Amino acid sequence: MTTSISCHHCLHPSFTRRLLRALWKGQSINLIAAPGQGRQRVLDDVMRHAPKDVILLYADLLAYKSNFSGFFRTLKRQMRYANCSHHGEEPENFGAFLTCVRSQGRPVWLLLHRFDAILEHSGVDPAYNKQFFTDLNTFNESSKMALLC
C-alpha cells in the first residue's frame, strides 16, 4: 500500500488514512461513534480507497439483526463478485466461509456496520452465538485479514 493516500474528499481524511494503513497491516478495529457521527461515511470512504487487490466484504448488521442467513448469503454473494471461490464449493457455515476467505491469498477486509445491533438481546437471531464470535476472532490469526466493526 502506498504511503500517500489521497483522502482529501473524505469526511475525516487523516482518520481514514490511519484506518486504511491499520487494515492493510491486518489490524482489526472497533469503530465506535454515536449515531449520526459519520460511521457509514467513514466505511464508505474506506471502501472507496481500499487497494484494488483487497477483497471487501460489507454488511450492515442492523439490517440482518434477526436474519443471520441473509447476512451469510450477502457475504457469500460478495465473495462470488470478487471472483473468489473455494474449489467451486459454497461454504455451508460461517466458520467454513472464513476458512475459504483465508485461503484466497489476498487481503480481506470485513466491514460490519452497526455491529452493536447484534449485541442487543431482543430480536437477535440465535445464530449470532458464541461460535459466531469465535469464528470472527479468527481474523486475528492472519495478517491478510482485517475486521472493521
Side-chain angles (χ1 to χ4, degrees), residues 7 20 68-69 91 96 142 146:
C7 291
L20 288 164
F68 179 84
S69 63
S142 171

Side-chain angles (χ1 to χ4, degrees), residues 1 5 15-29 109 143 145-148:
M1 182 169 188
I5 303 166
F15 180 64
T16 302
R17 278 191 292 276
R18 285 195 309 270
L19 282 176
L20 288 164
R21 287 184 184 116
L23 291 168
W24 184 253
K25 293 176 184 175
Q27 297 174 0
S28 294
I29 301 163
W109 298 355
S143 63
M145 294 176 68
L147 174 65
L148 178 60

Side-chain angles (χ1 to χ4, degrees), residues 28 68 71 93-99 102 110 112 115 118-119 126-142 145 147:
S28 294
F68 179 84
F71 161 74
N93 61 55
F94 192 63
F97 172 77
L98 293 179
T99 298
R102 274 193 302 278
L110 176 58
L112 299 177
F115 186 80
I118 64 168
L119 301 177
Y128 294 110
N129 56 23
K130 183 177 179 181
Q131 186 60 51
F132 169 77
F133 291 100
T134 299
D135 291 339
L136 272 185
N137 280 330
T138 65
F139 271 79
N140 295 325
E141 297 172 5
S142 171
M145 294 176 68
L147 174 65

Side-chain angles (χ1 to χ4, degrees), residues 55-123:
I55 298 168
L56 287 171
L57 303 174
Y58 170 85
D60 181 343
L61 286 177
L62 183 59
Y64 295 108
K65 174 181 177 176
S66 61
N67 184 5
F68 179 84
S69 63
F71 161 74
F72 188 40
R73 274 193 311 274
T74 295
L75 294 183
K76 289 192 295 186
R77 185 174 39 243
Q78 291 175 29
M79 282 296 288
R80 284 194 302 273
Y81 290 150
N83 294 318
C84 300
S85 66
H86 188 62
H87 310 294
E89 301 171 13
E90 285 252 333
E92 293 186 20
N93 61 55
F94 192 63
F97 172 77
L98 293 179
T99 298
C100 173
V101 167
R102 274 193 302 278
S103 73
Q104 298 305 310
R106 293 170 47 197
V108 178
W109 298 355
L110 176 58
L111 310 177
L112 299 177
H113 185 42
R114 296 192 282 199
F115 186 80
D116 53 324
I118 64 168
L119 301 177
E120 300 170 2
H121 295 291
S122 66

